[in-house]
Amino acid sequence: MSLVSIAREGSIAVVTIDNPPVNALGQALRQQLWDAVAALDADAAVQAVVLICAGRTFIAGADVSEFCKPPVAPHLPDVVARIEAAAKPWVAAIHGAALGGGFEVALGCRFRLALDSASVGLPEVGLGIVPGAGGTVRTPRVAGVVAAVDLVTGGKPLRAAKAQALGLIDAVVSGDLRAAAIAFAQEAITKPLPLPASARPVVAQEAGFWDEQQAAITKLAKGEVAPLHALACLRKATEVPFAEAMAFERETFLALRGSDQAAALRHVFFAERAAPRPAHLGAAQPLPLRAAAVIGGGTMGAGIAAALRDAGLPVTLIERDAAALERGVTNLRAIFDGAVARGRLTEAQAAERLAGVTASTDYASLAGADLVIEAVFEEIGVKRAVFAQVAAVCRPDAVLATNTSYLDPAAIAQGVPNPARFIGLHFFSPANVMKLLEIVPTPDTSPDVLATGFALAKTLGKIPVQAGICEGFIGNRILKRYRVGAEALVRRGVAIAAVDAAMRGFGFAMGPFEAQDLGGLDIAFLQREAARATGQDVPETLGDLLVRAGRKGQKTGGGWYDYAPGQRKPQPSATVADLLADQIRAEGQMDGPAIAEHLVAEMAAEGQAILAEGIARQPADIDLVEIHGYGFPRWRGGPMFHAQNRAG
Ligand code: T1G
Ligand code: NAD
């Protein structure tokens, strides 16, 4: 199949790559590019070559799906070297994203031209590898070492204008890219050519520079190894000749390609890409979402409204009374002001976000809403009363959603006319930040409404995962098992701080006890008390003992740990030791890795039960929930992937 076509515009040859969906550099494309260089070098009439791509993007990198197979020639570094050494200068014309091997091909070209909407990057560390075709060796020669360290070890793409400012892009254009590139090439051959990237000098750095970078990256990486290997490749590129540095990079790339971390990150990469449109949606079509509404302006309601506004949707925010409404609007304003403070929004954008919110206590203002998301108190009576009011004023085809964490959405929907339009949409706090959205259809939810949930996730830039109905759906159910497992270790004499240190060592930002102190021990306590009040036999937990002693976490100055006034640093607590003394049988300590593997195995076991009950459709869904909702380290692949690979 022809993936490469060559056209002639006078003395300029235009090489067009067309390998949908993202022009990934699979073996066939590499071969055809290799052949194109030979053909054009042999064509005396050609003075320069424009390399451009068809479809929605420039080359998005090597074909990641080839990584679990032995590499086949021509290898990408050789293809890039061939383009760089070509007898005629090549001009890369970039639209969409030039990523990984795609940007390395562009660095092999003598010039790079990009549309103003384009971006370039070397995201390989996000796949547990390093650039493998010269990215760590040519980038510092073109943009300098400091910029190269940022680009390669951080993996974040750069917008065209920023890349131009760093010297990575020679010209930024708008409109007709192909025409602009041909004109650029015609101009370029009238002037002396710049050196190819490989021949440009690179500035050596003080040893202190590399030590500093090493320390900063180690802290950020939390156990992920690729960024540190990328740094080692960049250092090598400044200390040894080009060819030697290329060999070092290639060796590192091939070693990491076969690593567990790379396998885990590939698993997550493809799971994330499959998530937005699972096959079981079939031909179902999402309903139009032009206007949304949120009931309740508390922690979740304000976050959900902010997420909807960030996606450009007009929002109606409903609260139960004027005072609560004011608090709701204040919560929302605080979210946008926070985004301004972090430089994510301008003042004007924050004002525009807020202006798109209609705040009211009058449910009649919901008449035009296509989607209503409820985020009021976690009490079934309150939620049902809210939906009775909502159903009385909304269009009969408006989608009605509940953000409940633990209640049965079908039970909440009881009595709602046209229950086919009802669905659970479980956001995670802070809802405008956390990427996960658990989609919980009821037995009545129609396929189109289910598809609407997935489409909403895409609109909001979230990762959707469908969950069946059980207490805690997927994420909170596994969280419960994780916490029970952690408490059981404490009862066996393992120190609270040792459990948290073990999970941080495994790659979590914080352990289960630190996390509970941050979120509050009372949320789960109230939930258990509510269950006990209905006569359920819910065993007393260690956490319950602490809450009964007034220890709800950071908000009360103490939970599993003590906190000095105004401080967030957890301090081991003698009071807790006393409160729990008679609950603990000292059966000896466990080392960190053993603690972590034990608790991750608990999560995976609950995951297996969830799969067996059909609450989750596939193990990868559970991994996405844990990674995007509960801070499970991405480079471990998720509890199901981890357990699967430990089992080997
Ligand atoms: N290889 C194989 N398939 C890929 C792919 C890739 N590099 N990138 C995307 N796909 C598939 C994806 O699975 C999906 O398939 C479809 O394309 C559309 O993707 C030597 C070794 C480019 C910004 O890390 O970031 O180069 O589900 O849904 O939202 O140094 O895809 O339809 O069957 O994401 O428009 C480095 C990865 C590789 C970039 C487009 N490159 N891709 O986003 O579409 S390593 C990357 C992306 C490398 C060299 C090394 C995004 C995108 P399906 P999509 P999108
Ligand atoms: P919250 O107490 O912060 O906010 C609830 C809001 O609902 C309050 O502002 C209250 O005034 C309002 N409200 C109550 N009755 C109302 C009514 N009849 N009409 C309009 N507004 C009314 O609670 P929250 O933490 O935002 O939780 C809301 C829902 O989201 C709960 O179901 C909870 O289980 C779920 N949830 C919470 C989290 C979390 O981390 N907090 C995460 C996911 C889901």
Side-chain angles (χ1 to χ4, degrees), residues 295-302 304 318-321 324-325 327-328 331 363 374-379 382-383 385-386 389 402-407 426-429 476 523:
I295 316 293
T299 310
M300 294 308 291
I304 295 168
I318 299 281
E319 260 287 357
R320 57 195 165 137
D321 57 41
L325 188 64
R327 279 196 307 274
N331 290 343
Y363 276 70
E374 164 274 313
V376 302
F377 299 141
E378 185 73 349
E379 291 160 44
V382 175
K383 291 183 186 295
V386 162
Q389 288 180 273
T402 174
N403 182 52
T404 181
S405 307
Y406 290 94
L407 299 169
H426 185 214
F427 290 77
F428 289 76
S429 182
N476 282 340
I523 298 173

Coordinates of all heavy atoms in Angstrom, one line a residue, residues 295-302 304 318-321 324-325 327-328 331 363 374-379 382-383 385-386 389 402-407 426-429 476 523, ligand 2:
I295 N -27.3 21.1 40.0 CA -28.1 21.3 41.2 C -27.2 21.1 42.4 O -26.6 20.0 42.5 CB -29.3 20.3 41.3 CG1 -30.0 20.2 40.0 CG2 -30.2 20.7 42.4 CD1 -30.8 21.4 39.5
G296 N -27.0 22.1 43.2 CA -26.0 22.0 44.3 C -24.7 22.7 43.9 O -24.1 22.3 43.0
G297 N -24.3 23.7 44.7 CA -23.1 24.4 44.4 C -22.0 24.2 45.5 O -21.2 25.1 45.7
G298 N -22.0 23.0 46.0 CA -21.0 22.6 47.0 C -19.7 22.2 46.4 O -19.4 22.6 45.3
T299 N -18.9 21.4 47.1 CA -17.6 21.0 46.6 C -17.7 20.4 45.2 O -17.0 20.9 44.3 CB -17.1 19.8 47.5 OG1 -17.2 20.3 48.9 CG2 -15.7 19.5 47.1
M300 N -18.6 19.5 45.0 CA -18.7 18.9 43.6 C -19.5 19.7 42.6 O -19.1 19.9 41.5 CB -19.3 17.5 43.8 CG -18.5 16.5 44.6 SD -16.8 16.4 43.9 CE -17.1 15.6 42.4
G301 N -20.6 20.3 43.1 CA -21.4 21.1 42.1 C -20.6 22.2 41.5 O -20.7 22.4 40.3
A302 N -19.9 22.9 42.3 CA -19.1 24.0 41.8 C -18.0 23.5 40.8 O -17.8 24.1 39.7 CB -18.4 24.8 43.0
I304 N -18.1 20.7 39.0 CA -18.7 20.3 37.8 C -19.1 21.5 36.9 O -18.9 21.5 35.7 CB -19.9 19.4 38.1 CG1 -19.5 18.1 38.9 CG2 -20.7 19.0 36.9 CD1 -20.6 17.3 39.5
I318 N -28.2 25.8 40.4 CA -29.4 25.9 41.3 C -29.0 25.5 42.7 O -28.2 24.5 42.9 CB -30.5 24.9 40.8 CG1 -31.0 25.2 39.4 CG2 -31.6 24.9 41.8 CD1 -31.9 26.4 39.3
E319 N -29.4 26.3 43.6 CA -29.2 26.0 45.0 C -30.5 26.1 45.8 O -31.5 26.7 45.3 CB -28.1 26.9 45.7 CG -26.7 26.2 45.7 CD -26.6 25.2 46.8 OE1 -27.6 24.9 47.5 OE2 -25.6 24.5 46.9
R320 N -30.5 25.6 47.0 CA -31.7 25.5 47.7 C -32.2 26.8 48.3 O -33.4 27.0 48.6 CB -31.6 24.5 48.9 CG -30.5 24.8 49.8 CD -30.2 23.6 50.7 NE -28.9 23.8 51.3 CZ -28.7 23.5 52.6 NH1 -29.7 23.0 53.4 NH2 -27.5 23.7 53.1
D321 N -31.3 27.8 48.6 CA -31.7 29.1 49.0 C -30.7 30.1 48.7 O -29.6 29.8 48.2 CB -32.0 29.1 50.5 CG -30.7 28.6 51.3 OD1 -29.6 29.0 50.9 OD2 -30.9 27.8 52.3
A324 N -27.2 29.7 50.3 CA -26.4 28.6 49.7 C -26.0 29.0 48.3 O -24.9 28.6 47.8 CB -27.3 27.4 49.7
L325 N -26.8 29.7 47.6 CA -26.5 30.1 46.2 C -25.3 31.0 46.2 O -24.4 30.8 45.4 CB -27.7 30.8 45.5 CG -27.6 31.0 44.0 CD1 -27.4 29.7 43.2 CD2 -28.7 31.9 43.5
R327 N -23.0 31.0 48.4 CA -21.8 30.2 48.6 C -21.4 29.4 47.4 O -20.2 29.3 47.0 CB -22.1 29.2 49.8 CG -22.0 29.7 51.2 CD -22.0 28.6 52.2 NE -23.1 27.6 52.0 CZ -24.3 27.8 52.6 NH1 -24.6 28.9 53.3 NH2 -25.3 26.9 52.4
G328 N -22.4 29.0 46.6 CA -22.1 28.2 45.4 C -21.3 29.1 44.4 O -20.3 28.7 43.8
N331 N -17.8 29.6 45.6 CA -17.0 28.4 45.3 C -16.5 28.5 43.8 O -15.4 28.2 43.5 CB -17.8 27.2 45.5 CG -18.1 26.9 47.0 OD1 -17.5 27.5 47.9 ND2 -19.1 26.1 47.3
Y363 N -36.2 26.6 40.2 CA -36.0 25.5 39.3 C -36.6 25.7 37.9 O -36.2 25.1 36.9 CB -36.7 24.2 39.9 CG -35.8 23.5 40.9 CD1 -35.5 24.1 42.2 CD2 -35.3 22.3 40.6 CE1 -34.7 23.4 43.1 CE2 -34.5 21.6 41.5 CZ -34.2 22.2 42.7 OH -33.3 21.5 43.6
E374 N -27.1 16.5 39.1 CA -27.4 16.7 40.5 C -26.2 16.4 41.4 O -25.6 15.4 41.2 CB -28.6 15.9 40.9 CG -28.8 15.7 42.4 CD -28.0 14.6 43.0 OE1 -28.0 13.5 42.4 OE2 -27.2 14.8 44.0
A375 N -25.9 17.4 42.3 CA -24.8 17.1 43.2 C -25.2 17.7 44.6 O -24.5 18.6 45.1 CB -23.5 17.8 42.7
V376 N -26.3 17.2 45.1 CA -26.7 17.7 46.4 C -26.3 16.6 47.4 O -25.7 15.7 47.1 CB -28.3 17.9 46.4 CG1 -28.6 19.0 45.3 CG2 -29.0 16.6 46.2
F377 N -26.8 16.8 48.7 CA -26.4 16.0 49.8 C -26.6 14.5 49.4 O -27.5 14.1 48.7 CB -27.2 16.3 51.1 CG -27.0 17.7 51.5 CD1 -28.1 18.4 52.1 CD2 -25.8 18.3 51.5 CE1 -27.9 19.7 52.5 CE2 -25.6 19.6 51.9 CZ -26.6 20.3 52.4
E378 N -25.7 13.6 50.0 CA -25.8 12.2 49.7 C -26.9 11.5 50.5 O -26.7 10.6 51.3 CB -24.4 11.6 50.0 CG -24.2 10.1 49.6 CD -24.1 9.8 48.1 OE1 -24.4 10.7 47.3 OE2 -23.8 8.7 47.8
E379 N -28.1 12.0 50.3 CA -29.3 11.4 51.0 C -30.3 11.1 50.0 O -30.7 12.0 49.2 CB -29.8 12.4 52.1 CG -28.8 12.5 53.3 CD -29.1 13.8 54.1 OE1 -30.4 14.0 54.3 OE2 -28.2 14.6 54.4
V382 N -33.4 13.6 49.8 CA -33.1 14.9 49.2 C -32.9 14.8 47.7 O -33.5 15.6 46.9 CB -31.7 15.4 49.8 CG1 -31.3 16.7 49.2 CG2 -31.9 15.6 51.3
K383 N -32.2 13.7 47.2 CA -32.0 13.6 45.8 C -33.3 13.4 45.1 O -33.6 13.9 44.0 CB -31.0 12.5 45.5 CG -29.6 12.9 46.0 CD -28.5 11.8 45.6 CE -27.2 12.1 46.2 NZ -26.5 13.2 45.7
A385 N -36.3 14.3 45.9 CA -37.1 15.5 45.9 C -36.6 16.5 44.9 O -37.4 17.1 44.2 CB -37.0 16.1 47.3
V386 N -35.3 16.5 44.8 CA -34.7 17.4 43.7 C -35.1 16.9 42.3 O -35.6 17.8 41.5 CB -33.1 17.4 43.8 CG1 -32.5 17.9 42.6 CG2 -32.7 18.2 45.0
Q389 N -38.6 17.9 41.4 CA -38.7 19.3 41.0 C -38.1 19.5 39.6 O -38.7 20.2 38.8 CB -38.0 20.2 42.0 CG -38.6 20.3 43.3 CD -37.8 21.2 44.2 OE1 -36.9 20.7 44.9 NE2 -38.0 22.5 44.2
T402 N -27.1 11.9 38.1 CA -26.8 12.1 39.5 C -25.3 11.9 39.7 O -24.7 11.0 39.1 CB -27.6 11.1 40.4 OG1 -27.1 11.3 41.8 CG2 -27.4 9.7 40.0
N403 N -24.7 12.6 40.6 CA -23.3 12.5 40.9 C -23.1 11.7 42.2 O -22.0 11.8 42.8 CB -22.7 13.9 41.1 CG -21.2 13.9 41.3 OD1 -20.4 13.2 40.6 ND2 -20.7 14.5 42.4
T404 N -24.1 10.9 42.5 CA -23.9 10.2 43.8 C -22.7 9.3 43.8 O -22.3 8.8 42.8 CB -25.2 9.3 44.0 OG1 -25.0 8.6 45.3 CG2 -25.3 8.2 42.9
S405 N -22.1 9.2 45.0 CA -20.9 8.3 45.2 C -21.3 6.9 45.5 O -20.6 6.0 45.1 CB -20.1 8.9 46.3 OG -19.8 10.2 46.2
Y406 N -22.3 6.7 46.3 CA -22.6 5.4 46.9 C -24.0 4.9 46.6 O -24.3 3.7 46.7 CB -22.3 5.4 48.4 CG -20.8 5.5 48.7 CD1 -20.3 6.7 49.0 CD2 -20.0 4.3 48.7 CE1 -18.9 6.8 49.3 CE2 -18.7 4.4 49.0 CZ -18.1 5.7 49.3 OH -16.8 5.7 49.6
L407 N -25.0 5.9 46.4 CA -26.4 5.4 46.3 C -26.6 4.8 44.9 O -25.9 5.0 44.0 CB -27.3 6.7 46.5 CG -27.1 7.4 47.9 CD1 -27.9 8.7 47.8 CD2 -27.6 6.4 49.0
H426 N -20.5 10.0 37.7 CA -19.7 10.1 39.0 C -18.4 10.8 38.7 O -17.5 10.2 38.2 CB -19.5 8.8 39.6 CG -18.9 8.8 41.0 ND1 -18.0 7.8 41.4 CD2 -19.0 9.7 42.0 CE1 -17.6 8.1 42.6 NE2 -18.1 9.3 43.0
F427 N -18.4 12.1 39.1 CA -17.1 12.9 39.0 C -16.3 12.7 40.2 O -16.8 12.2 41.2 CB -17.5 14.4 38.8 CG -18.2 14.8 37.5 CD1 -19.5 14.5 37.3 CD2 -17.5 15.4 36.5 CE1 -20.2 14.9 36.2 CE2 -18.1 15.8 35.3 CZ -19.5 15.5 35.2
F428 N -15.0 13.2 40.1 CA -14.1 13.0 41.2 C -13.6 14.4 41.6 O -13.4 15.3 40.8 CB -13.0 12.1 40.8 CG -13.5 10.7 40.7 CD1 -14.3 10.3 39.6 CD2 -13.4 9.8 41.8 CE1 -14.9 9.0 39.6 CE2 -13.9 8.5 41.7 CZ -14.7 8.1 40.6
S429 N -13.3 14.6 42.9 CA -13.0 15.9 43.4 C -11.5 16.2 43.3 O -10.7 15.3 43.6 CB -13.4 15.9 44.9 OG -13.1 17.2 45.4
N476 N -14.8 3.6 44.3 CA -15.0 3.7 45.8 C -15.0 2.3 46.4 O -14.7 2.1 47.6 CB -16.2 4.5 46.1 CG -15.9 6.0 46.0 OD1 -14.7 6.4 46.0 ND2 -16.9 6.8 45.8
I523 N -16.4 11.4 56.2 CA -17.2 11.1 55.0 C -17.6 9.6 55.1 O -18.7 9.2 55.1 CB -16.5 11.5 53.7 CG1 -16.3 13.0 53.7 CG2 -17.4 11.0 52.5 CD1 -15.4 13.4 52.5
Ligands
NAD2 P1 -21.6 19.5 49.6 O1 -22.2 19.4 51.0 O2 -20.3 20.2 49.5 O3 -22.6 20.2 48.6 C1 -24.0 19.9 48.5 C2 -24.8 21.1 48.1 O4 -26.1 20.7 47.8 C3 -24.9 22.1 49.2 O5 -24.4 23.4 48.7 C4 -26.4 22.2 49.5 O6 -26.8 23.5 49.7 C5 -26.9 21.8 48.2 N1 -28.3 21.3 48.3 C6 -28.8 20.5 49.2 N2 -30.1 20.3 49.0 C7 -30.5 21.0 47.8 C8 -31.6 21.1 47.1 N3 -32.8 20.6 47.5 N4 -31.6 21.9 46.0 C9 -30.4 22.5 45.6 N5 -29.3 22.4 46.3 C10 -29.3 21.6 47.4 O7 -21.5 18.0 49.0 P2 -20.5 17.5 47.9 O8 -19.3 17.0 48.5 O9 -20.4 18.5 46.8 O10 -21.3 16.2 47.4 C11 -22.4 16.3 46.6 C12 -22.7 15.0 45.9 O11 -21.6 14.5 45.2 C13 -23.0 13.8 46.9 O12 -23.9 12.9 46.4 C14 -21.6 13.2 47.1 O13 -21.7 11.8 47.5 C15 -21.1 13.3 45.7 N6 -19.6 13.2 45.5 C16 -18.8 13.8 46.4 C17 -17.5 13.8 46.2 C18 -16.5 14.5 47.1 O14 -15.3 14.1 47.1 N7 -17.0 15.4 47.9 C19 -16.9 13.1 45.1 C20 -17.8 12.5 44.2 C21 -19.2 12.5 44.4

